[in-house]
Structure formats: structure tokens, C-alpha cells
Amino acid sequence: MPDYNVPVPRYWRNIPTYYRLTVSRCRSCGRVYYPPRARCVCGSRDIEQVSLLDACRKFRLAEFTVLHSVSVDFEKQKPLIFGLVKCENPEVSLVSPITDVLNVGDLQSGIELEPVFRVVKRDGSYGIVCYGTKFRIATREVKV
Amino acid sequence: MHVNKVYVKSLHAVTPGRHYNKSLRDLAAEAFLKAWEAAGCPNIDMIILASAAVDIVEEQLLSSSYVCEYLSLENVPSLRIEVGDASGTAALAYAYNLVRYGVCRNVAILGVEKITDFISVKVNKVLSYLCDSTYESYYGITPAVHAALMTKFYMKKFNYTYEDIAWWSVKMHERGASNPYASLRRKLKIEDIMNSEIVADPIRLFDTAVPVDGAVCIILSSEKSDLGVELAHVEQHAYNVSINMRPDPARLFTVNAAREVVQKFSPTLFEISDKFSIFGILILEELGLAEPGTAPKLIREGTFDPGSKVVVNASGGLKCIGYPMGASGLYLSAMLILELAKAEPFSNVGDHSIGAVCDVGGTDRLSNVLIFRRES
Amino acid sequence: MRAGIAGWGTYIPRFRISTREIARVWGDDPLRIRDLYLIDEKTVENYDEDAVTMAVEAARRALARAEISPRDVDCVFVGTESKPYAVKPVASILIDALGLRYDVQAVDAEFACKAASDMMLLTALAIEAGRYKHGLVVGSDASQGEPGEHLDYSASAGAVAYVLTGDREKMCAEIEGFYSYCSDTPDFWRRDGSPFPVHGEGFTGEPAYFRHIIAAARGLMEKLGLKPNDFDYVVFHQPNTRFPLRVASVLGFPIDKAKPGIVVDRIGNTYNASALLGLAKVLEIAKPGSRILVVTYGSGAGSNAISLVVTDKIEHKRELADKLSEQLEKKILIDYSMNLRFRKLIKMLHSG
Ligand SMILES: [Zn+2]
């Protein structure tokens, strides 16, 4: 067997969330969940998956941290930056990687971000390339 | 319905650290056999293994059964409890009910972790499994990321500097320097904390609890023992909600839920999980030992030092003990029991008859509060 | 033709390195290097970027400008020569990343830097034939250049995407006609498994770049009965700034018609995205009625010459996504060592 670690069916199942940042929205009460849920706190099981890329055009950075002590899959990407990202519509927050930052001083609470499709990790030399959604400082402010 | 009182029959804690020469089974055997012999080798009805990562590190399922085989406990039923780093106190809580309701007479709770077989980046990966594997660990998020965000929100909310937070660690190392059960037995100055390597800004190495190997065994029984300590109450709370979905990331809601029971028993001795300094600070505030926003100030002023009216982490907490993950809460419990029993090295702690352990699983996903009472 | 552009999208990495910095490392004279290529800076893909990620970003912008639902796209074609997988398409990743339907035609094509333009023409033909309503075509490359070699000064990363349509209400530029010219001319190649391409230096010029571009451009003008005067803008493949300006002059176009479409001086050679990014830059300024000549070039070798006429929908489209002109400004300059790190050119035991 070639040397690869990522269980591919698991990655494949999660493609909607990784690529398009889908969240669960309750059709009964409108609550939004990330990570997704099978059942809403209101009791409803009428849950739809909504992509934040379609629904939300505006993301802001609430707070962030620079992680130096990374785990094994991310050794060559350190340091990693993670932010608490607030989406305005629907109202939901995410802890997400922040990319394209060389000078951490460029990041401040409240700054506008844009989602970007990026490589999360490459599974050795023979496994798959795992993609996902990160955020970076917005190219332009979104007018709402 | 008749219920039994639940007593601590005996305990033994192996000093945590890098036990490269000992296997998980060796560590478990040492903790169990010493505790068991101290109790006079009673018949054990059940062994409960508490470990966060035994299956990942040892590549072993059914680990409790293999540990029993190593001990030649060929017919003792066993199970393993895993709720991350709160596994130990969850196992205690489970055993408490087995004894209290007469299912078992003697239950051995065996907390074990063998993490130093892995190098640090692999340890970080194991720790990251405390976060949501699919939605957080996938992207490289670890508990330190959560703790860093919590710390930043807390600092902003109450206008604290990083130095104010770092004092927690100074105070813990003051206490732990003379604790033979501590893996890190060294007094540290505020500069040492402030200059230690950054883990996740603003958190530095000495704000964390360093992952170590460890094994601790506590035998609970319906029969009294010479220790004279009773497990009087168990309180478990959950808030199964990810950090991004929380109304306030700088809160420990599950700990707050245990506030009433703490008021009711009025413990004066505490061992609390300070896996990151922010957890220690928040536990004090959520349990009502400190008003919101005052814990960093009070701890620095020595309000909770040994010899005070209320003593917190006379052991030095997890900062000094280290972080044997799933066994952490059992170490805290063992320390508290020894403190209540005024055993060495805790004779200076003061005279306390009721103590509490507060253990937190993951980023406030669950917490266990255990009330111990010394028989008068 | 009854097919044209409904929307375009561009994506270039934020990170840039100056040719001066590259020259510093290799002991070259930065002024001579600048004079040789007329390139000031080139893009460097971040560690977490590749031809796939850039393709997704460019395509998202193109869909926004096209003002169609991703569900209305009937085909997705990618032109690239730097796929992260030797076997496994980029196009299929785009389907799920963009939320396209699954009953679409999807494929990657390779003809050095030319394939994306071929896919545009094939899509236009299928639209004209009534087989597709809308098609998505992406050119994306995170190209390889051996350190210290000519390509180190130019090979860069970027992507461009076009949504093509047959619907005149959505069309901001109509494809008027095209002409292709190809031959076996090995001026630049990369063998299977080789990390860097090899080229024939001067041989990439006259018998390759110039011969094919000139033949395609002249063939198209003759076919359509047009003269250089009839075009408002000309855009050529841009391995450096000298080549497109010289070929414009050989073909009889004034330099002012070629300059607006030059992108290589600020971002380097983005291969499949090169000339098509130049076209995007022109679309950001062109007025309704403008006629644009685009001539792509792919080593090995061949050219597609395409004539487009801008419609009155153009002004409205521009603001629907961020523009190349904005992306050009939003940059972070890095040094050579960071460039090596990002491009994974440091030998390591594992990638991680
Ligand atoms: Zn609901």
C-alpha cells in the first residue's frame, strides 16, 4: 500500500463544508449551526445545509491568535493564524485559519475578511491534497 | 432507598514525567499495586481505566483488560472511560455511583497516560483531537488556540495585560516547588513565564500544562479507611457547544452550573484544572470564589495561598504536576485527598474539612466537580 | 460567432518578489535583468496555493460578473500545465468548489500556455452549436522555473476565468472569430516527472513565439477582413514584456494598443493565464464597441488568435467582482528565501 494517511471517504463526505463552508440552518426557527447539527435546539429536525459563501458576503475578524506549537500535519506551515470570524448574514461565528499574512500587525479586530479556497494539507508524497476554506484580509470592502 | 457512603480507601500517584523506561502497563501496575497494598489488598469488584489517548498512543483497544492481565487480575471486570482530559474525574463520578448504590463494594479507578512516546508535534495532534476533529483539527486547531482566544477575550473584557494572567503560573510554581508529585518542581519568576516560548499568542509555554506520562490509582469503597476521607458529592455539567457558537468565549458555563453546590458544601480547599492559566482564573470566578474580573488580582495578592481561609491548588496545580491528560483530574483529586488528610507534603495547607476538585473537559464542554469531606 | 463573454474573473497571489531581489541572490545585474525581460515583480503562490485554489478564486469572480447561477453552467474546462496531481482533474474539484451541477462536461487540457484559450474556443463552438448555454473556462498555473535560470525571473502564478454565453443580454464581449496555427516546434518542454521545464533560449523566439503568433494573427485578420487599424487593443502571450511589444510592432500595431494589455511587468508569466489576464485587464477599461485582438501562445507550439468586440454591458460588469487593477495593488513583497519556502523548493524530509 502506498504511504498515505487521510481516509479519503471521510474527506470526500466533508467536501461541501470544506469547499463551500456549509452550515446547518433550522427551517423552523432559523438558528444556524457550525459545526452542522442533525437536530435544532428547538426540537426541529428540518435542517438545511447552507453555504456561507452564497449566503454571507461579509465576514469580520473578531479576535485571532498565532499558533506556533503546531501539530504534525502543519509543521511546514507554521506559524498558523486562527481567527474568530463573524459572519453577518446569517449570524454565525467560526474559528477559521487566516492566510496571506506575513506581518501579524496587519490584523486587527473588526477588519473585514474574505473567504479563500486553499490547500489545508498535502497527505505526504502520494496521498490526496486536502482543500478547505480559509480567510484573508479582504481585497475590497463589501458594500451592503 | 439505601445508599452507601463512599470512602477513599487508598490511593497512589506515580510522580508524572517522562517515564521513557516504563510502559503504560508498568505505570498502571505501579499505581494500582501500591494503592491496593495500602488498602490491604481488598477484593476489587471493578477496575475503571481513565485515559484520554491510550488507544491512539498505544494502538491498543481493550486496554483495561490488558492492564488487568498484567496485574494477574484475571477475573476482574474492567472498562475504560474517555471524556478527553476530564476522563479521570468522570471515572471517579461513575465509580462513586457504583459504590453508593451498592453495585460494587470496592472500585479501583486507574488514571493512566503515556504520551511521551510521541514527539511534540504528534502530541499536539493528539491534543487537537480534543477539538472537533472534522471541523477544527482538520485545519490545525488545537486546544491552545481556544485557550488563546479565551485569554484574549478575557484580557480585553477586564482590561488586563498578559503579565496579569501570567502571575497565575508564578503562584502555582511557588506552591509546586516542594510537591514531590509535581513533574516541574521549580520556582519561576514572572520574567521566566513572560520569556518562555510562545505557544499560541498570548499564551506561552508556562501558561500551559506540559503533557507528561502519569498513573494514579484511587480505590473507592463503601468501607471506611484510615485516610478518613469521604467522596461526599459528585456534580457533572455539560455544555456541548463549540467555542465559536458560545455567547461569550471567555466563560466556563459548565463550571458556573456547579456554583450552587459549591455554596452548599462551602469547601475551603480546592484543586482545579489550570491546564491553561485562563482556566484556573475562570474557574475561580465561575465558582464564585472571585468576582468576575478579579481572579488574576486575588491570586497574585496571595488570597488563595496555602494557610489562607480558602486555599486553591496547594499542589501547584497542573502547571506543576504536568498534564497527564485523561489522568489529570485524578491527580488533582489525589492531591486534594492528601491535603484533607494533612498528609505530607501538605501539612502547611491548614486545617480543612471540605474540599472540592474542579475538572474541565476540553474547552468547557463538560466539567466535573467532586466534593471530598474529611471524617471528623 | 453567437458566443461571447458573460463574465471574467482574475486571481493573482498577494505575494510578489522583485526581479531585483532574484538578481541579488544569483549575482546578476538587476538593471540588465530588468532590461532583458522588462519585469519588475512576479507573483509567488503562498504555500497553501496551487493551480486548483487559484482556479477556484478566479472562477468565483467570473461567475459573479456573469450574473448566472453556478447551476446554469454546462461545462467546466481548465487549461493548466501545473496540476498538483499528475492524474486527477482540476475541473472536477471546481464542480464542488463552485457548486456547479454534476451533469456538466468537465476536463483539463494541456498545451503549455495555450490550452485555456483552446477550451474557450471549443466552448464557444459548442455554445454556437446550441449544445451549451453557458460554459466556464479557467486558465490557471503555478508554474515552475528552475532557480537561477531564466525562468526564475519570470515564471509565476495566477489564474483567469471566463464564463461564456450565447445569451446576448449577458454578453459583455462577443467573439467575432478565431484562427489557430500549430506545429511541432520543441522550444520549451517538461518531461514527465521532471520538476522544471527546459527551454531552447533563443529558439523560443523567432521559430516559436513569433512565427506562431504572427501566423495566427495574420490568418485571423485575413479571415475576418480586418486590418491592424480596426483593433483598439491587442493582447499577446507574455513570457516577458519585450516579446509582446515586439510582436505588436511586427504586426503593425502601435505600442499604445498593446500596452494596456500588458500584465507581465508586474506579475510575471502566468502561463495559461498570461494573455487571458491581459484580456481581463483590457476589459476593465475598454469602451463598448472596442475591438480586441488576443493571441495566445503555447510552447510546443501553437497560437490562437481571437477577435472580440465589447458590448454595452461591459460597464455594469466591472464592479461585480474585485478587479485585476485592485489585485495588482494589494501585494506583499517577499524575499528570495520566503519565495523558496512558499514554492516548496527547500529540500525537506516531508511536506507536512
Ligand atoms: Zn430550530
Side-chain angles (χ1 to χ4, degrees):
Chain A
M1 197 195 86
D3 178 25
Y4 77 93
N5 295 313
V6 171
V8 174
R10 180 176 168 198
Y11 171 75
W12 175 77
R13 277 194 304 279
N14 286 303
I15 278 178
T17 341
Y18 293 159
Y19 290 12
R20 308 204 22 87
L21 219 51
T22 50
V23 298
S24 299
R25 183 161 64 192
C26 172
R27 283 204 183 90
S28 298
C29 73
R31 282 186 180 86
V32 177
Y33 300 101
Y34 182 89
R37 293 191 186 182
R39 180 182 158 271
C40 178
V41 287
C42 79
S44 166
R45 291 188 206 178
D46 191 8
I47 305 278
E48 61 179 342
Q49 303 304 317
V50 185
S51 164
L52 287 187
L53 306 189
D54 297 334
C56 175
R57 300 282 292 149
K58 200 153 187 168
F59 300 90
R60 284 195 186 281
L61 181 65
E63 196 49 270
F64 70 95
T65 181
V66 184
L67 178 71
H68 294 265
S69 185
V70 300
S71 55
V72 66
D73 301 335
F74 299 92
E75 264 186 287
K76 304 301 181 201
Q77 297 192 51
K78 72 178 185 181
L80 298 171
I81 303 177
F82 293 101
L84 186 70
V85 179
K86 281 192 187 298
C87 167
E88 281 181 12
N89 178 34
E91 219 174 285
V92 63
S93 298
L94 322 161
V95 179
S96 285
I98 311 290
T99 189
D100 285 0
V101 177
L102 216 52
N103 175 11
V104 178
D106 295 344
L107 290 175
Q108 292 120 32
S109 299
I111 197 170
E112 192 169 331
L113 302 173
E114 65 188 16
V116 280
F117 186 83
R118 290 296 166 101
V119 175
V120 175
K121 54 197 165 200
R122 298 173 178 92
D123 187 11
S125 300
Y126 306 105
I128 58 167
V129 181
C130 298
Y131 294 96
T133 303
K134 303 183 185 178
F135 286 85
R136 67 171 185 176
I137 297 169
T139 306
R140 53 151 78 162
E141 297 265 317
V142 174
K143 297 176 197 88
V144 173
Chain B
M1 185 185 179
H2 171 75
V3 291
N4 298 312
K5 283 201 163 195
V6 181
Y7 299 99
V8 178
K9 187 100 176 166
S10 64
L11 65 87
H12 184 78
V14 177
T15 300
R18 292 178 179 166
H19 292 290
Y20 291 125
N21 57 340
K22 288 177 185 164
S23 70
L24 181 126
R25 289 176 201 185
D26 290 330
L27 290 169
E30 184 179 336
F32 173 80
L33 291 173
K34 289 211 167 133
W36 192 44
E37 281 158 12
C41 301
N43 188 52
I44 300 293
D45 300 310
M46 169 89 81
I47 292 219
I48 303 179
L49 194 77
S51 177
V54 57
D55 49 348
I56 300 167
V57 181
E58 296 271 300
E59 300 180 330
Q60 180 69 70
L61 297 177
L62 273 170
S63 48
S64 63
S65 166
Y66 289 98
V67 166
C68 286
E69 183 179 356
Y70 196 60
L71 294 164
S72 284
L73 299 172
E74 293 183 359
N75 302 109
V76 177
S78 69
L79 59 87
R80 171 196 169 200
I81 284 185
E82 187 275 306
V83 273
D85 46 355
S87 301
T89 46
L92 264 182
Y94 185 71
Y96 167 82
N97 285 320
L98 291 177
V99 175
R100 182 172 162 82
Y101 295 105
V103 180
C104 297
R105 181 173 287 190
N106 297 309
V107 179
I109 303 100
L110 189 46
V112 279
E113 213 68 79
K114 186 85 192 79
I115 194 72
T116 65
D117 278 358
F118 281 4
I119 56 168
S120 61
V121 286
K122 274 208 162 184
V123 172
N124 284 339
K125 182 159 182 175
V126 173
L127 292 173
S128 81
Y129 298 158
L130 290 168
C131 304
D132 190 309
S133 179
T134 305
Y135 301 95
E136 294 184 316
S137 324
Y138 175 76
Y139 287 108
I141 295 170
T142 67
V145 169
H146 290 173
L149 292 172
M150 289 166 75
T151 306
K152 277 188 139 185
F153 277 112
Y154 182 86
M155 283 164 56
K156 210 176 260 185
K157 191 162 149 191
F158 295 110
N159 207 17
Y160 276 119
T161 63
Y162 169 65
E163 188 181 335
D164 298 322
I165 307 296
W167 269 97
W168 177 276
S169 206
V170 177
K171 297 301 285 183
M172 290 304 123
H173 285 283
E174 252 173 49
R175 295 155 158 79
S178 54
N179 181 0
Y181 296 103
S183 65
L184 205 64
R185 243 169 288 157
R186 216 177 100 205
K187 282 196 180 175
L188 293 172
K189 293 194 282 291
I190 186 72
E191 301 82 50
D192 298 327
I193 317 292
M194 302 280 289
N195 295 331
S196 61
E197 68 180 83
I198 298 181
V199 171
D201 135 75
I203 290 178
R204 287 170 184 267
L205 184 65
F206 288 126
D207 272 321
T208 70
V210 178
V212 285
D213 305 331
V216 53
C217 181
I218 297 176
I219 298 176
L220 291 185
S221 172
S222 51
E223 287 161 13
K224 283 193 185 186
S225 79
D226 296 343
L227 264 176
V229 176
E230 175 199 357
L231 176 51
H233 186 81
V234 160
E235 188 85 2
Q236 293 181 280
H237 291 281
Y239 189 41
N240 304 312
V241 175
S242 296
I243 187 168
N244 56 299
M245 297 298 293
R246 289 170 174 256
D248 184 345
R251 287 285 310 272
L252 298 176
F253 294 98
T254 65
V255 176
N256 188 266
R259 180 189 276 249
E260 269 179 37
V261 93
V262 166
Q263 274 165 4
K264 184 179 149 202
F265 283 93
S266 304
T268 53
L269 198 51
F270 287 84
E271 284 289 331
I272 63 176
S273 168
D274 57 342
K275 49 189 174 180
F276 295 99
S277 300
I278 189 66
F279 278 77
I281 288 162
L282 287 174
I283 288 172
L284 291 187
E285 296 180 3
E286 298 288 5
L287 286 180
L289 300 178
E291 288 297 311
T294 64
K297 190 169 150 286
L298 294 180
I299 198 85
R300 183 174 175 175
E301 287 167 355
T303 310
F304 305 109
D305 280 358
S308 310
K309 191 162 154 270
V310 174
V311 178
V312 174
N313 286 6
S315 66
L318 298 181
K319 291 278 177 286
C320 301
I321 294 170
Y323 184 52
M325 298 173 66
S328 304
L330 282 177
Y331 271 97
L332 294 174
S333 303
M335 296 301 109
L336 188 92
I337 293 162
L338 294 175
E339 290 161 22
L340 280 174
K342 288 193 269 188
E344 284 309 319
F346 301 116
S347 48
N348 68 331
V349 171
D351 195 34
H352 302 270
S353 56
I354 299 185
V357 168
C358 179
D359 194 15
V360 179
T363 305
D364 190 36
R365 297 189 73 85
L366 61 101
S367 70
N368 301 317
V369 171
L370 311 172
I371 308 283
F372 290 91
R373 182 158 49 199
R374 195 181 71 215
E375 294 277 287
S376 42
Chain C
M1 282 178 85
R2 310 265 302 263
I5 296 166
W8 71 93
T10 61
Y11 180 84
I12 52 172
R14 291 241 166 115
F15 294 111
R16 317 287 160 82
I17 188 168
S18 67
T19 46
R20 168 176 287 276
E21 166 68 3
I22 302 168
R24 178 184 71 79
V25 172
W26 292 102
D28 285 331
D29 175 1
L31 292 177
R32 195 191 72 86
I33 289 294
R34 199 193 168 279
D35 190 54
L36 194 61
Y37 308 111
L38 297 175
I39 298 174
D40 293 320
E41 289 165 12
K42 64 166 200 168
T43 55
V44 179
E45 70 273 22
N46 197 348
Y47 191 87
D48 61 0
E49 293 185 287
D50 62 18
V52 177
T53 66
M54 295 188 294
V56 170
E57 291 300 321
R60 281 180 178 161
R61 286 161 178 80
L63 285 167
R65 279 209 178 84
E67 294 181 286
I68 62 162
S69 158
R71 317 288 301 168
D72 292 332
V73 171
D74 299 312
C75 69
V76 50
F77 296 144
V78 180
T80 180
E81 58 129 82
S82 53
K83 289 155 55 119
Y85 289 93
V87 177
K88 187 191 181 307
V90 177
S92 61
I93 301 175
L94 287 177
I95 290 173
D96 276 291
L98 301 171
L100 308 186
R101 297 193 323 270
Y102 291 127
D103 60 328
V104 292
Q105 195 107 41
V107 77
D108 298 350
E110 189 273 314
F111 193 132
C113 306
K114 181 175 80 86
S117 63
D118 289 294
M119 298 325 273
M120 272 180 88
L121 297 176
L122 291 178
T123 304
L125 287 170
I127 286 171
E128 201 178 39
R131 304 303 288 264
Y132 302 148
K133 276 182 82 173
H134 307 288
L136 173 66
V137 177
V138 189
S140 181
D141 269 309
S143 48
Q144 313 89 352
E146 190 187 353
E149 206 271 334
H150 284 280
L151 293 175
D152 202 17
Y153 288 103
S154 60
S156 68
V160 65
Y162 288 91
V163 172
L164 300 181
T165 182
D167 182 349
R168 287 195 176 279
E169 287 305 304
K170 295 195 165 67
M171 215 180 277
C172 58
E174 185 180 354
I175 297 174
E176 196 180 22
F178 68 90
Y179 190 93
S180 302
Y181 188 89
C182 303
S183 75
D184 183 355
T185 307
D187 59 326
F188 171 112
W189 62 91
R190 179 164 68 86
R191 289 274 299 278
D192 194 17
S194 162
F196 303 111
V198 179
H199 60 87
E201 295 190 348
F203 187 67
T204 62
E206 292 310 329
Y209 180 92
F210 291 98
R211 172 183 161 215
H212 292 84
I213 286 186
I214 289 165
R218 285 192 177 142
L220 179 64
M221 285 191 279
E222 192 175 321
K223 182 176 162 188
L224 295 179
L226 295 170
K227 295 194 170 49
N229 269 347
D230 298 316
F231 292 93
D232 300 286
Y233 300 98
V234 286
V235 185
F236 302 103
H237 177 58
Q238 298 165 30
N240 53 52
T241 309
R242 287 214 173 277
F243 276 25
L245 294 182
R246 203 170 108 208
V247 82
S249 133
V250 171
L251 285 166
F253 294 102
I255 198 165
D256 288 349
K257 290 187 179 180
K259 273 194 164 169
I262 295 289
V263 291
V264 62
D265 55 338
R266 299 183 66 187
I267 64 171
N269 183 1
T270 53
Y271 287 45
N272 269 279
S274 172
L276 297 179
L277 271 176
L279 171 61
K281 188 161 170 259
V282 167
L283 290 175
E284 287 179 6
I285 53 163
K287 299 211 158 35
S290 301
R291 179 176 280 124
I292 307 167
L293 173 68
V294 183
V295 192
T296 62
Y297 172 74
S299 287
S303 280
N304 288 314
I306 310 166
S307 176
L308 295 118
V309 179
V310 174
T311 78
D312 58 1
K313 304 287 186 296
I314 192 78
E315 317 270 0
H316 162 73
K317 297 274 185 188
R318 278 177 196 144
E319 296 305 321
L320 298 178
D322 52 78
K323 292 187 266 191
L324 182 62
S325 55
E326 293 168 277
Q327 295 167 4
L328 285 169
E329 296 307 319
K330 197 101 180 170
K331 65 177 179 184
I332 303 166
L333 274 171
I334 58 172
D335 63 12
Y336 197 78
S337 56
M338 197 59 91
N339 152 74
L340 292 178
R341 180 185 164 176
F342 285 166
R343 294 177 58 209
K344 302 159 206 78
L345 292 175
I346 302 172
K347 186 167 178 158
M348 295 186 289
L349 287 175
H350 62 107
S351 57

